[in-house]
């Protein structure tokens, strides 16, 4: 029989550990320990503590910040899991000096110190600048839409929420009637009575929550020249309903501006709206103010720094803003590839994008009749549909590029009884409901308009220099989102309100920047 080294689980052992020796040079944990102990000014947290003369001692912000940053770098966002890691993981024990903060303390630190987190983000950015990691040659701006701690089912306009409240009241009345019937029966079904009572309590709680929201809040309005009411959310009214490649979500758009040299995030903000073109000027202004405050540059855009962003940020207002402020920007419109000869045969080679979705939206896979099949009189603003009916005008508005467009919409009674509605409407079933609408079309009124700021940007993007510069955008900003989303595991924001979500977004961007300091900086051994 072979011989083995004997072992016995039923024995005691004492292991001597030096916590500082666990933080090996060159690792991320050593970097955050060194930065927090030697480089960052944590006095910004002092005003939040009022226990100088009495009260229980608080956990040092340095300890909490170390374990949170390290946890985020390891895909750990749950405060309960961070607490458990401080009890079981030797690196967490080394960073926390064998203290175990309660999970409520950890969660409270992240949610209540958004302003301090923003200041720490700037301190890390200044260290990156001092160590030569910022090139200030090109900034790429993009957004990453993620769900937040709010359900999209609790969203709606004030009218929709009021209708939902009345529907809940009707359901409550139905269950009350059922409860009275069951209570009058000789042989009572106790289990069913309990379920009915619980359903009444749940529905009443939901109805009161909507009623309280409608009384305390005002309708949320969108942006633009003629702002319309957008959907509010009962749980987090600063979040927004957004359409992504993975469907519709209720969440925030984490926008980041990234420097080209080492992919350092120079600005990180969260916005509760799906449309990105409203976020460009706030980000550009934030970068300029931040660089002035840190002493990096008095006017970063006057040095020739290039700004790139994708088509989601393009509209006439943004183009005018960048032109008037002499910003060296390259932001293409959504048709810039169609003007590029290199993409002339793209549809033939790869087929049309979203072809399946277009067929799915029309009955029997037939294409919707295009607006070109409608007869349009631009002088008298009259539009006649393919069925020979005159459809109603809905006014003249400017599109996102400043082009005046005449809008028309078929009356519900017209489209409901139309013989070709299944070939004409994208959603013909909507015509059978009272809340539906008829076919909508629009026409550009003046093709001989004066040159605008969008034309100025088209010239820049379509030039050989512009194509070369814009080709760097994706390789600069997308790896940052890949690192934060895939390697760090951020797929949703766990907090509510714009300020708190922005703090969490900046924490993850801070983790990304510290990793760059570890890989390319000169942190002391």
């Amino acid at each position: 029989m072979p011989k083995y080294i004997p072992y016995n689980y039923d024995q005691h052992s004492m292991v001597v550990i030096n916590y500082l020796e666990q933080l090996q040079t060159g690792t991320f944990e050593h970097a955050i320990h060194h930065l927090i102990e030697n480089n960052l000014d944590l006095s910004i947290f002092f005003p939040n503590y009022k226990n100088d003369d009495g009260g229980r001692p608080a956990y040092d912000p340095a300890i909490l910040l170390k374990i949170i940053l390290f946890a985020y770098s390891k895909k750990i966002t749950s405060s309960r899991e961070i607490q458990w890691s401080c009890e079981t993981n030797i690196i967490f024990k080394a960073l926390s000096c064998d203290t175990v903060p309660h999970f409520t303390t950890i969660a409270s630190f992240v949610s209540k110190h958004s302003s301090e987190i923003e200041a720490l983000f700037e301190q890390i950015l200044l260290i990156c600048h001092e160590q030569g990691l910022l090139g200030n040659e090109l900034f790429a701006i993009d957004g990453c839409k993620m769900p937040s701690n709010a359900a999209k089912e609790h969203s709606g306009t004030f009218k929709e929420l009021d209708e939902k409240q009345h529907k809940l009241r009707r359901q409550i009345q139905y269950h009350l009637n059922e409860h009275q019937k069951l209570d009058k029966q000789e042989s009572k079904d106790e289990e069913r009575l309990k379920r009915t009572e619980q359903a009444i309590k749940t529905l009443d709680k939901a109805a009161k929550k909507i009623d309280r929201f409608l009384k305390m809040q005002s309708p949320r309005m969108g942006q633009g020249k003629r702002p319309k009411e957008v959907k509010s959310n009962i749980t987090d009214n600063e979040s927004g309903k957004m359409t992504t490649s993975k469907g519709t979500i209720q969440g925030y758009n984490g926008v980041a501006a990234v420097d080209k040299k080492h992919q350092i995030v120079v600005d990180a903000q969260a916005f509760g709206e799906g449309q990105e073109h409203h976020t460009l000027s706030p980000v550009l202004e934030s970068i300029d103010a931040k660089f002035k405050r840190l002493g990096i540059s008095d006017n970063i855009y006057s040095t020739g720094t290039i700004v790139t962003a994708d088509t989601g940020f393009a509209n006439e207002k943004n183009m005018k803003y960048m032109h008037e402020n002499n910003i060296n920007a390259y932001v293409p419109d959504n048709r810039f590839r169609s003007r590029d000869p290199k993409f002339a045969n793209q549809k033939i080679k790869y087929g049309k994008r979203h072809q399946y979705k277009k067929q799915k939206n029309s009955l029997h896979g037939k294409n919707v009749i295009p607006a070109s099949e409608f007869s349009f009189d631009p002088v008298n603003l009259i539009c006649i549909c393919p069925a020979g009916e005159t459809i109603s005008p809905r006014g003249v508005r400017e599109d996102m590029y400043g082009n005046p467009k005449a809008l028309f919409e078929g009356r519900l009674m017209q489209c409901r009884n139309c013989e070709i509605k299944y070939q004409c409407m994208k959603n013909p079933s909507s015509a059978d409901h009272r809340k539906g609408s008829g076919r909508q079309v629009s026409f550009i009124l003046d093709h001989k308009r004066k040159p605008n700021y969008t034309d100025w940007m088209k010239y820049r993007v379509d030039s050989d220099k512009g194509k070369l510069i814009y080709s760097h955008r994706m390789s600069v900003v997308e790896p940052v989102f890949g690192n934060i989303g895939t390697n760090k595991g951020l797929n949703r924001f766990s907090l509510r309100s714009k300020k708190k979500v922005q703090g969490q977004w900046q924490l993850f961007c801070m983790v990304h920047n510290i990793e760059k300091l570890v890989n390319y900086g000169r942190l002391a051994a």
Side-chain angles (χ1 to χ4, degrees):
M1 183 176 178
K3 294 181 180 180
Y4 298 110
I5 297 174
Y7 57 88
N8 179 19
Y9 286 108
D10 188 17
Q11 60 178 321
H12 298 281
S13 177
M14 180 177 291
V15 180
V16 179
I17 298 175
N18 184 295
Y19 289 130
L20 195 59
E21 292 178 356
Q22 308 307 312
L23 307 176
Q24 296 294 312
T25 305
T27 61
F28 182 80
E29 54 267 25
H30 175 268
I32 56 177
H33 172 74
H34 180 272
L35 285 170
I36 292 172
E37 292 293 329
N38 300 285
N39 300 96
L40 300 184
D41 178 17
L42 300 187
S43 62
I44 53 177
F45 290 97
F46 292 172
N48 297 311
Y49 297 91
K50 307 296 182 181
N51 60 348
D52 298 25
D53 300 326
R56 182 180 178 182
Y59 284 100
D60 194 321
I63 294 293
L64 296 172
L65 193 60
K66 288 176 187 178
I67 62 175
I68 289 169
L69 289 174
F70 184 67
Y72 281 10
S73 72
K74 299 297 181 184
K75 292 187 177 183
I76 303 174
T77 56
S78 168
S79 55
R80 293 177 185 268
E81 191 172 353
I82 295 175
Q83 177 188 341
W84 179 81
S85 298
C86 290
E87 297 171 349
T88 59
N89 189 291
I90 187 60
I91 303 299
F92 278 92
K93 280 181 172 291
L95 290 172
S96 65
C97 281
D98 205 19
T99 58
V100 184
H102 197 261
F103 70 89
T104 55
T105 303
I106 298 170
S108 177
F109 183 83
V110 176
S111 63
K112 293 183 178 180
H113 295 91
S114 302
S115 300
E116 291 77 11
I117 290 171
E118 185 173 4
L120 289 175
F121 178 86
E122 293 187 3
Q123 292 185 41
I124 296 292
L125 181 62
L126 182 60
I127 294 171
C128 292
H129 168 69
E130 291 171 349
Q131 298 196 9
L133 302 189
L134 291 181
N136 298 333
E137 174 191 355
L138 182 146
F139 295 152
I141 302 173
D142 205 352
C144 182
K145 299 174 184 177
M146 283 178 284
S148 62
N149 193 8
K152 63 181 179 182
E153 290 78 12
H154 294 163
S155 296
T157 61
F158 267 49
K159 182 179 179 181
E160 292 171 345
L161 291 174
D162 186 59
E163 291 175 352
K164 186 174 183 178
Q165 182 190 13
H166 284 86
K167 183 179 179 181
L168 290 171
R169 294 298 181 190
R170 290 194 298 270
Q171 291 177 340
I172 291 171
Q173 188 60 49
Y174 169 78
H175 285 290
L176 283 172
N177 296 336
E178 287 294 314
H179 189 273
Q180 291 175 359
K181 290 178 183 179
L182 291 171
D183 196 42
K184 291 179 181 179
Q185 293 178 359
E186 295 182 1
S187 57
K188 296 181 181 180
D189 189 345
E190 297 296 338
E191 288 295 327
R192 192 173 175 186
L193 280 169
K194 288 181 180 179
R195 290 197 301 269
T196 307
E197 289 175 359
Q198 185 60 43
I200 293 171
K201 290 180 181 179
T202 303
L203 293 170
D204 184 61
K205 183 179 179 181
K208 286 181 178 178
K209 187 176 181 180
I210 296 175
D211 182 63
R212 186 164 55 250
F213 178 84
L214 294 175
K215 289 179 180 179
M216 297 179 64
Q217 300 292 334
S218 301
R220 186 179 177 187
M221 307 304 293
Q223 299 189 30
K225 292 183 179 179
R226 299 177 181 177
K228 294 183 178 180
E229 183 183 359
V230 297
K231 293 188 176 183
S232 303
N233 186 269
I234 298 173
T235 309
D236 182 4
N237 199 28
E238 291 184 294
S239 65
K241 213 166 187 178
M242 307 176 185
T243 301
T244 69
S245 58
K246 298 180 181 179
T248 303
I249 63 170
Q250 183 74 34
Y252 287 88
N253 186 16
V255 179
V258 184
D259 183 84
K260 178 187 175 184
K261 185 176 181 180
H262 286 296
Q263 297 174 333
I264 300 292
V265 180
V266 297
D267 187 76
Q269 298 186 53
F271 296 91
E273 53 189 18
Q275 293 182 332
E276 292 179 322
H277 51 261
H278 297 305
T279 67
L280 183 61
S281 57
V283 170
L284 293 175
E285 291 170 359
S286 176
I287 295 172
D288 187 40
K290 191 184 281 90
F291 277 46
K292 285 180 181 177
R293 192 161 50 247
L294 297 177
I296 299 175
S297 174
D298 291 334
N299 187 350
I300 188 62
Y301 304 119
S302 64
T303 60
T305 300
I306 300 169
V307 175
T308 63
D310 66 6
T311 58
F313 295 87
N315 67 358
E316 179 66 13
K317 183 179 179 181
N318 285 341
M319 305 306 175
K320 181 180 179 181
Y321 171 83
M322 290 182 288
H323 184 274
E324 292 178 345
N325 289 276
N326 297 317
I327 298 176
N328 187 16
Y330 292 85
V331 184
D333 60 286
N334 58 2
R335 297 187 61 83
F336 81 105
R337 292 198 186 279
S338 64
R339 300 190 298 271
D340 193 337
K342 291 187 296 184
F343 297 93
N345 298 322
Q346 188 178 31
K347 289 184 179 179
I348 299 174
K349 186 175 181 180
Y350 298 104
K352 294 183 179 180
R353 292 184 64 191
H354 312 306
Q355 190 171 13
Y356 170 74
K357 292 183 179 179
K358 289 183 179 180
Q359 292 179 353
K360 186 177 179 180
N361 287 335
S362 57
L363 196 65
H364 307 305
K366 296 180 180 178
N367 292 324
V368 175
I369 295 176
S372 59
E373 296 294 325
F374 288 66
S375 177
F376 173 57
D377 181 3
V379 178
N380 300 311
L381 291 181
I382 297 175
C383 180
I384 301 175
C385 74
E389 295 285 342
T390 300
I391 60 177
S392 305
R394 288 290 181 263
V396 178
R397 300 175 187 172
E398 287 186 356
D399 62 8
M400 61 189 301
Y401 304 113
N403 301 321
K405 300 184 78 173
L407 308 178
F408 296 87
E409 179 179 321
R411 287 184 289 114
L412 194 59
M413 292 300 297
Q414 287 177 321
C415 297
R416 181 181 297 167
N417 303 314
C418 182
E419 296 179 355
I420 62 171
K421 69 177 182 180
Y422 293 102
Q423 292 80 39
C424 184
M425 298 182 66
K426 293 183 178 180
N427 188 12
S429 60
S430 65
D432 299 327
H433 300 283
R434 185 176 296 177
K435 297 180 183 179
S437 60
R439 172 65 190 271
Q440 299 173 345
V441 291
S442 61
F443 301 91
I444 296 177
L445 290 178
D446 186 13
H447 294 281
K448 297 181 180 180
R449 55 173 174 75
K450 296 180 180 179
N452 55 21
Y453 295 99
T454 301
D455 295 326
W456 164 73
M457 184 58 71
K458 286 180 182 178
Y459 175 79
R460 291 173 61 83
V461 173
D462 291 345
S463 65
D464 292 338
K465 179 182 177 182
K467 292 175 184 177
L468 179 62
I469 291 173
Y470 185 71
S471 65
H472 294 288
R473 184 201 67 84
M474 186 175 292
S475 62
V476 173
V477 69
E478 293 299 341
V480 176
F481 292 146
N483 181 35
I484 295 175
T486 304
N487 297 336
K488 305 298 174 287
L490 180 64
N491 52 20
R492 68 185 296 272
F493 296 112
S494 57
L495 302 176
R496 295 172 182 170
S497 82
K498 179 181 182 296
K499 186 176 181 181
K500 293 180 181 180
V501 168
Q502 181 162 299
Q504 190 175 34
W505 175 239
Q506 288 173 342
L507 275 174
F508 274 96
C509 292
M510 199 188 305
V511 169
H512 172 83
N513 287 349
I514 294 174
E515 285 185 339
K516 294 296 181 179
L517 282 169
V518 175
N519 295 330
Y520 304 104
R522 303 185 305 275
L523 289 179

